[in-house]
Amino acid sequence: MAGMRAATRGPSPNDRASTILRACLDLVEHMTRQAAEVSVAEVNTTLGVLDQAVRDMENDGLETHASTIAVRNAKDRLLALKQEMVVK
């Protein structure tokens, strides 16, 4: 949520970052609601989407922006989830 607030407020609000971050959060929320049925393939697909989102935001000059950091954090959590799924 901090990333969403940062994307829309502050000295340089960025509508594109807000849109990208909202889409990423929607994906993660969807996976959370259906956690019991999520497959490793779906996690991999979502990781690819998050990777592209980070690249898009970095291309917009937001390397250290809270929105980019939020997407990276979500990606790290999904990587941890994937590792747990593989172990089970």
Side-chain angles (χ1 to χ4, degrees):
M1 294 312 290
M4 284 297 296
R5 286 191 298 274
T8 58
R9 296 183 189 159
S12 59
N14 189 308
D15 290 334
R16 180 160 162 71
S18 177
T19 301
I20 291 171
L21 185 56
R22 172 69 349 214
C24 290
L25 290 174
D26 287 347
L27 275 173
V28 173
E29 287 173 14
H30 177 73
M31 291 181 74
T32 302
R33 284 191 300 270
Q34 297 181 345
E37 294 114 26
V38 173
S39 69
V40 173
E42 290 170 316
V43 173
N44 285 333
T45 300
T46 304
L47 284 168
V49 170
L50 295 181
D51 280 336
Q52 184 61 48
V54 169
R55 282 193 299 274
D56 288 349
M57 285 194 251
E58 287 174 343
N59 288 339
D60 287 347
L62 300 173
E63 294 87 2
T64 59
H65 196 271
S67 298
T68 307
I69 293 167
V71 175
R72 285 185 183 132
N73 289 340
K75 183 181 163 207
D76 290 343
R77 288 183 180 191
L78 280 178
L79 285 169
L81 169 65
K82 179 181 167 184
Q83 290 302 319
E84 288 178 25
M85 293 172 77
V86 171
V87 172
K88 288 184 180 181

